[in-house]
Amino acid sequence: MSINVAVIGAGPSGFYTVDALLKDDKDVRVDIIERLPTPFGLIRGGVAPDHQTTKKVARVYEKTALRDGVGYYGNVEVGRDVTMAELREMYDAIVLAVGAPRDRKLGIPGEDKAGVFGSADFVGWYNGHPDFTDLQPDLNTGTVVVIGQGNVAVDVARVLVKTPEEMTDTDIADHAADAIKASPITDVYMVGRRGPIEAKFTNVELREMGKLDDCQPVIDATQLPDQVEGEWSDRDKRLKDRNLATMKEFPDVDPAGKSKRVHFTFYAKPIEILGGDKVEGIRLEHTRVEDGRSVGTGEFFDIECGLVIPAIGYFSDPFPGVPFDADNGIVVHDEGRVSDGVYAVGWIKRGPTGVIGTNKPDGDIAATQIFEDIAEGTKPGREALEALLAERNVRCLTYQDWQTIDAAEVAAAKLGAPRRKFVTIDTMIAALD
Ligand SMILES: Cc1cc2nc3c(=O)[nH]c(=O)nc-3n(C[C@H](O)[C@H](O)[C@H](O)COP(=O)(O)OP(=O)(O)OC[C@H]3O[C@@H](n4cnc5c(N)ncnc54)[C@H](O)[C@@H]3O)c2cc1C
């Protein structure tokens, strides 16, 4: 009998796992279970709307979804519509590919004030993720502070300062495009505890900051060393050399005609978010780097701002029915094995690191483990799942349903844009009816 596998989550790690399971013509049936009506996880809801080339990886996942032997159950949430215990009865193996959808907390006073939005929420909002459509961040401020110096921070800063014209060929959600266009934001501070060499931007993202129509990158040239010092792998050293060269070009970017600025604020540690109920500023402490660690100098400074966006990493929620490592925000596992017949891949396994392709080896490992652990199937698989979902009146979407939603979004696109996103579950489902 076929081995029946349920992959929970239709993000990159889920699709790479399905692909790996089908690679060797083994007798296996794989069902993808996704809580949203739309697939692709952070490719749709995280990757920046102006990085459409990156989002094209979804075409590869589409081929996987349409392969023989693959079932697709959209708009079905494990923990709400079906439990892990029920899935264990139905499937020989279950792969958790549910990502890490929450923000790591700053852990400083004032973090809960109105006007502080973690990057997971803020990025979800501008990308039209239905969980964040009602976020309604108040952008009526001249200054925003983004905390973090990685690619997510740079994405957020860039989306806030690009002109509407620069965003025409993107799939930014309408509500976000309108709010950003109407906002008086002129200055975005991108704050990091360490220096320009330690910052985690990749070079393509960093270079974009020097090529914006209406925005000047502001950097303190005295903080830029002549060359990259310290112990780095060859690969990291090459990246840091490139980043340093890029940052050295920033002071030469012509400010003429540019009304906005992104300030690269190094050696600054967040101490407290200031204000009453609402953010009015942030207090930071100057730092220096000792043995790669940031150390406070005891000198403080404030930046007045109306919005603070921490972009310091992502975290998983505990997943119902599996042990959780609360310190690291991941599921407890041994090289991907969670418990008998349960495996983990992607960000729920490794935490929020790497690029899209970093999730691929996880899928290969999970497939190998499943075939090592399970010689042949004994559980009923999709017929049992379908019967249970029908009994509960769950509106379960097929992959073809998603293609209908996709076509409707593409058809509704404004001139130059790839699509106009539905931003609520109801409007997505209504597109089918
Ligand atoms: C803001 C941002 C920008 C990024 N930009 C880039 C980039 O430009 N280039 C790049 O290479 N990488 C980028 N990444 C990284 C990349 O997106 C991740 O490596 C990748 O998406 C992680 O894949 P995943 O499958 O583990 O998780 P996810 O992509 O989060 O997918 C998890 C899926 O599981 C579903 N799910 C969750 N819970 C349940 C449940 N209970 N039941 C059913 N389904 C569930 C979710 O809805 C989601 O679809 C970015 C990440 C972020 C956060």
Side-chain angles (χ1 to χ4, degrees):
M1 190 167 141
S2 306
I3 300 174
N4 283 295
V5 184
V7 173
I8 310 174
S13 66
F15 278 108
Y16 290 130
T17 305
V18 178
D19 225 24
L21 285 163
L22 298 179
K23 209 161 50 191
D24 294 331
D25 288 334
K26 291 261 185 359
D27 187 8
V28 60
R29 292 195 305 172
V30 193
D31 293 340
I32 305 171
I33 303 174
E34 166 58 50
R35 69 178 278 261
L36 294 177
T38 56
F40 311 139
L42 286 168
I43 303 301
R44 180 177 164 104
V47 171
D50 58 339
H51 282 180
Q52 289 297 316
T53 312
T54 307
K55 289 182 191 261
K56 284 192 180 137
V57 67
R59 290 185 192 160
V60 180
Y61 304 153
E62 170 137 324
K63 288 200 181 121
T64 302
L66 295 172
R67 285 182 64 171
D68 286 346
V70 179
Y72 183 85
Y73 301 88
N75 199 36
V76 176
E77 181 170 330
V78 177
R80 180 191 64 190
D81 302 312
V82 55
T83 65
M84 271 299 278
E86 288 163 341
L87 287 179
R88 281 171 192 256
E89 295 293 315
M90 298 176 202
Y91 286 91
D92 300 298
I94 300 170
V95 182
L96 301 172
V98 293
R102 301 282 161 247
D103 279 285
R104 193 172 280 279
K105 290 289 214 180
L106 282 171
I108 61 170
E111 187 164 16
D112 297 327
K113 289 187 195 306
V116 183
F117 296 98
S119 60
D121 298 16
F122 196 77
V123 166
W125 172 74
Y126 66 57
N127 267 321
H129 189 301
D131 286 358
F132 307 107
T133 294
D134 294 329
L135 196 70
Q136 297 189 328
D138 181 358
L139 303 192
N140 189 20
T141 176
T143 304
V144 179
V145 171
V146 178
I147 300 171
Q149 289 185 334
N151 281 341
V152 176
V154 94
D155 280 351
V156 170
R158 189 182 68 250
V159 167
L160 284 171
V161 297
K162 270 194 165 181
T163 63
E165 293 70 33
E166 285 175 299
M167 294 301 281
T168 46
D169 57 354
T170 77
D171 62 359
I172 187 168
D174 282 354
H175 55 238
D178 294 344
I180 293 169
K181 186 177 173 190
S183 90
I185 294 169
T186 53
D187 290 86
V188 178
Y189 287 80
M190 214 175 3
V191 172
R193 286 191 299 180
R194 297 186 290 165
I197 301 306
E198 291 84 11
K200 293 201 170 127
F201 319 114
T202 51
N203 192 250
V204 177
E205 277 72 17
L206 185 62
R207 261 185 295 152
E208 276 186 273
M209 299 311 284
K211 297 180 183 157
L212 300 175
D213 285 354
D214 190 26
C215 181
Q216 162 86 358
V218 178
I219 206 156
D220 177 352
T222 64
Q223 291 181 328
L224 300 177
D226 291 339
Q227 57 190 26
V228 174
E229 307 277 2
E231 308 248 318
W232 305 103
S233 67
D234 288 351
R235 190 174 161 276
D236 282 352
K237 168 89 167 49
R238 274 197 302 278
L239 168 67
K240 286 170 192 307
D241 281 338
R242 277 201 298 272
N243 279 358
L244 182 58
T246 303
M247 286 187 253
K248 285 187 172 173
E249 290 166 9
F250 283 171
D252 298 329
V253 175
D254 186 1
K258 300 199 180 194
S259 68
K260 298 178 186 172
R261 290 155 295 275
V262 168
H263 305 257
F264 287 78
T265 310
F266 298 113
Y267 304 110
K269 174 179 160 191
I271 298 295
E272 183 180 356
I273 313 261
L274 306 171
D277 292 343
K278 194 174 178 321
V279 174
E280 290 169 26
I282 181 165
R283 177 151 305 150
L284 300 146
E285 182 180 8
H286 287 294
T287 64
R288 60 175 174 269
V289 173
E290 283 177 12
D291 296 331
R293 290 178 46 247
S294 91
V295 181
T297 62
E299 295 160 48
F300 299 88
F301 66 106
D302 297 347
I303 301 174
E304 267 183 46
C305 62
L307 191 65
V308 173
I309 304 174
I312 57 166
Y314 283 54
F315 213 75
S316 284
D317 282 333
F319 195 80
V322 291
F324 187 65
D325 170 356
D327 289 338
N328 295 303
I330 55 173
V331 71
V332 176
H333 66 92
D334 177 12
E335 307 281 328
R337 284 184 171 95
V338 176
S339 60
D340 237 16
V342 181
Y343 307 81
V345 293
W347 278 19
I348 182 83
K349 169 187 173 187
R350 285 181 290 107
T353 54
V355 292
I356 295 163
T358 316
N359 299 291
K360 193 167 188 299
D362 287 349
D364 296 334
I365 293 167
T368 305
Q369 291 171 337
I370 289 170
F371 293 132
E372 272 171 15
D373 296 350
I374 303 166
E376 96 170 342
T378 57
K379 310 238 172 118
R382 68 182 57 144
E383 288 75 15
L385 176 67
E386 286 174 11
L388 183 96
L389 295 175
E391 190 187 302
R392 290 186 181 156
N393 285 322
V394 176
R395 178 75 193 259
C396 163
L397 305 194
T398 62
Y399 197 82
Q400 286 67 28
D401 287 333
W402 150 245
Q403 288 180 311
T404 303
I405 295 172
D406 183 32
E409 287 191 341
V410 172
K414 292 180 189 159
L415 194 64
R419 67 179 61 244
R420 186 178 193 191
K421 280 181 172 174
F422 294 115
V423 297
T424 63
I425 306 272
D426 287 350
T427 50
M428 290 171 190
I429 306 269
L432 300 171
D433 290 334

